[in-house]
Amino acid sequence: MCNGLVALHESLVHGYVTADTVHVSEEGRVLLGAIGIGASLARTRGFSRFRFGGLLPNIAPEQVLSPPRMTMSTDVFGVAALFLELITGQSLVEAGQPLRDLGFRGSPGLTECLERATDPDPGQRQPDLGELKAELAYRRVEGALEA
């Protein structure tokens, strides 16, 4: 998924990386859907109602600005939020939410990496998915996930 988004970032930001837009084929290939839709989410009828009703989790704060100010770190947020959802079964309701609220149990290093990636301030996140992927790989080798 990270590799596909890195390639996509050569021309645009996906902006809506969620369990609804990332699919895995039977062969294990990751398929990204709804590419580019993130830029228009805030202009969609009912968006505010759904967002503030907690029905659109995993949305980076910069996506609800008018106009949205999406960068590569918007997708860093989305990938980290999706990772957390896959690990815990819980959606990230808001940026900066304590990961323990989701039931996440990881090493301090992995927790720090994911908390940085889901920081409300895009400038505090990893700048791109290449850096997030490298940091996650390092934390995995470090034995970061607990049972």
Side-chain angles (χ1 to χ4, degrees), residues 3 17 26 63 94 112 128 133 139:
N3 292 342
V17 178
E26 290 182 14
Q63 289 181 260
E94 64 183 63
E112 180 183 322
D128 57 53
K133 179 182 173 186
R139 299 302 180 186

Side-chain angles (χ1 to χ4, degrees), residues 21-138:
T21 62
V22 176
H23 308 280
V24 181
S25 73
E26 290 182 14
E27 296 81 30
R29 298 182 84 173
V30 175
L31 309 168
L32 298 170
I35 294 173
I37 197 170
S40 61
L41 280 177
R43 295 187 302 270
T44 305
R45 256 181 60 179
F47 176 79
S48 294
R49 180 173 36 108
F50 286 117
R51 171 67 178 139
F52 296 111
L55 300 173
L56 285 174
N58 301 346
I59 301 292
E62 61 271 20
Q63 289 181 260
V64 298
L65 298 174
S66 184
R69 295 188 196 128
M70 297 190 319
T71 66
M72 289 185 283
S73 73
T74 304
D75 286 345
V76 167
F77 182 96
V79 167
L82 179 57
F83 179 82
L84 287 165
E85 185 175 353
L86 291 170
I87 297 295
T88 67
Q90 302 291 318
S91 296
L92 187 68
V93 176
E94 64 183 63
Q97 178 180 353
L99 301 187
R100 68 183 170 277
D101 290 357
L102 300 174
F104 179 75
R105 296 179 347 156
S107 72
L110 181 60
T111 301
E112 180 183 322
C113 170
L114 293 170
E115 284 178 343
R116 179 177 169 212
T118 57
D119 193 284
D121 179 357
Q124 297 301 310
R125 298 180 204 141
Q126 292 85 347
D128 57 53
L129 284 154
E131 186 171 318
L132 176 64
K133 179 182 173 186
E135 192 171 340
L136 287 172
Y138 173 77

